[in-house]
Amino acid sequence: MKLTSLCVYCGSSTGKDPLFMAEAERFGHMMARSNVELVYGGGGVGVMGAVARAVLAKDGKVTGIIPKFLTEIEVEFKEVTELIVTESMHARKQLMFERSQGFVALPGGVGTVEETIEMLTWAQLGRHSYPIVIANINGFWDPLIELLDHIIKAGFARSDIRRIYSVVDRVEDIIPRVEASL
């Protein structure tokens, strides 16, 4: 199967390490060069804005999906190829899921963690088998990876849940990892 779309979860803030923004931009360029559509939260700020602008700068396709109440908080990015405004966060997440062949977690905040964990949960429950890639840029996701290992060691998840996600340290490895899992 050819990879055509990826859902990217990431922060609406820039974070303190300038590497996060730089790598988000590099990844956006890679997505466009690979003809992989970006499906994301629709904001024009922070890491999410950097990814979207980078895809568009290389003539790629971007679908932003944002709930109505966030259009003022996150400043929706109207220059995207397609902007969908939903009535709720639940509708947003469902549409992001339906339009994607895989999920990537770039650095971000609590919302990024929640969306990533939700996709891990859905995969664990057999609701999907799409690839989930945690982009551990500069060790950003080390605490999450340690938490997942802790959950396994404490007996609240089987060790085979590790098969439902991959961890990469470089953005260059994201698309190949997703493609290998399709």
Side-chain angles (χ1 to χ4, degrees), residues 134-154:
I134 299 170
N136 195 25
I137 297 165
N138 207 18
F140 180 82
W141 291 113
D142 285 349
L144 176 63
I145 296 160
E146 290 171 19
L147 176 60
L148 293 171
D149 287 342
H150 172 72
I151 290 167
I152 292 166
K153 287 177 192 165

Side-chain angles (χ1 to χ4, degrees), residues 91-104:
R92 171 203 215 181
K93 292 191 292 183
Q94 183 65 36
L95 265 178
M96 290 169 79
F97 171 78
E98 290 171 3
R99 289 175 168 245
S100 303
Q101 294 175 292
F103 307 93
V104 175

Side-chain angles (χ1 to χ4, degrees), residues 52-68:
R53 282 182 178 80
V55 172
L56 292 169
K58 298 292 182 186
D59 298 319
K61 184 176 178 188
V62 175
T63 297
I65 304 172
I66 190 166
K68 191 177 197 176

Side-chain angles (χ1 to χ4, degrees), residues 124-179:
Q124 182 182 5
L125 295 173
R127 305 316 305 158
H128 77 84
S129 59
Y130 301 129
I132 301 167
V133 177
I134 299 170
N136 195 25
I137 297 165
N138 207 18
F140 180 82
W141 291 113
D142 285 349
L144 176 63
I145 296 160
E146 290 171 19
L147 176 60
L148 293 171
D149 287 342
H150 172 72
I151 290 167
I152 292 166
K153 287 177 192 165
F156 288 100
R158 296 186 317 263
S159 63
D160 66 350
I161 70 156
R162 288 187 183 107
R163 69 176 168 69
I164 65 176
Y165 66 92
S166 299
V167 178
V168 300
D169 296 326
R170 303 170 334 130
V171 294
E172 301 75 21
D173 298 329
I174 297 170
I175 291 174
R177 184 67 56 94
V178 171
E179 289 176 330

Side-chain angles (χ1 to χ4, degrees), residues 20 25 34 40 50 57 70 81 96 102 109 124 168 170 175 181:
F20 300 147
E25 186 175 317
S34 299
Y40 85 119
L70 277 182
T81 313
M96 290 169 79
Q124 182 182 5
V168 300
R170 303 170 334 130
I175 291 174
S181 301

Side-chain angles (χ1 to χ4, degrees), residues 9-10 14 26 30 37 41-42 45 49 55 62 65 74-75 87 90 92 105-106 113 120 127 131 144 168 171 173 182:
Y9 301 125
C10 53
T14 60
R26 277 184 357 104
M30 289 174 204
E37 175 188 353
V45 295
V55 172
V62 175
I65 304 172
E74 288 188 352
V75 189
E87 289 301 315
H90 294 294
R92 171 203 215 181
L106 292 178
V113 172
L120 290 170
R127 305 316 305 158
L144 176 63
V168 300
V171 294
D173 298 329
L182 289 178

